[in-house]
Amino acid sequence: MSKYLIAGNWKMNTNLDEAKKITDELHGYKDFDSEVEMLICPPFTHIGFLSELVDLSRVSLGAQNVHYEPKGAYTGEISNEMLLSVGCEYVIIGHSERRSYFNETNELINKKVVNSLNAGLRVILCIGETLEDRESGNTNKVLEEQLTKGLLGVEETINLKIAYEPVWAIGTGKTATSEQISETHKFISNFLNLRFGDNIIKILYGGSMNAENAKDILSISNVNGGLIGGASLKPESFLSIYNSAIELC
Ligand code: 13P
C-alpha cells in the first residue's frame, strides 16, 4: 500500500482538450514512486477519454460525485456502475461544495458512501468545519457528527479514505496552521481507531495546499496525503506537491 495519496479535485474546470493536456503532462512525469499514489478527479465528461490516455497504474482516476442508485429514472445523475465502466476507481463524496450548494446532508452522503463501497469504488469522504464552527469551538463536534453519520453501516475500510477540508481554507489561500491540522487529524484518527479498531484509513488534508506549503503539511503526523483543488490544475504545481510527498517517504 502506498504511503501517501496525492489527489487533484478539478471541480468544474477544464474542457476536454485542456484536461488531456494536463493529464499528458502528469502522466509523462519521470519520477513516479510507488509509495505515492497520484489521483486526478476531472469532471464526469472527461473520465472515459482520460482512462484511454493513461496507464491507470501511474495515474488513478476519480469522480467528484455519484448517485447512490445503480440505475433508473434519475435525470442528470451518474451511478457507481457507470463510473466503474469507464475506468474510474475513486469517488469523492460529501465535498463541502456539495454540502453547501446542493444541500447534501450527512444522511444522503452516507447512502452514497455505503453504496459506492459496496460497488467496489474507493471512497474519499470529505468532512470539514465552517469558520463559524471553528470560532465557536465546535470543530470536533461537527467532524464527529459528519464521521458518525457519514460512516453509518460501514464495516470494511480497505477502500475508504477521509479528506479533512476546513471549509474556510478552501480556495481562500488560507491554510489551517500546522497545530490546527495536527490536532484535527489526530482527532479524526482517534475516532477512526475507536470506530474500526486498528485502522489503515488514510486521512488527507485539503484547503489551499500548494507547491510551497505541501511539504510542511504532508510532514505532519496523521496526514497521509492531500486533496488539492486550484493547484491540481497546474501540472507543475501538482507535480511539485507529488514530489514533496516522495521526499518525505
Ligand atoms: P483548494 O486547493 O483550491 O483550496 O481546494 C481544495 C478542495 O476543495 C479540494 O477538494
Side-chain angles (χ1 to χ4, degrees), residues 9 11 95 97 165 169-172 206-209 227-231:
N9 174 9
K11 309 192 180 182
H95 192 280
E97 287 149 17
E165 301 202 301
I170 295 178
T172 57
S208 299
M209 200 191 246
L227 183 55
I228 298 121

Side-chain angles (χ1 to χ4, degrees), residues 6-10 165 205-207 209-210 226-232 238 241:
I6 301 298
N9 174 9
W10 292 7
E165 301 202 301
Y205 170 81
M209 200 191 246
N210 57 37
L227 183 55
I228 298 121
S232 73
F238 193 60
I241 297 170

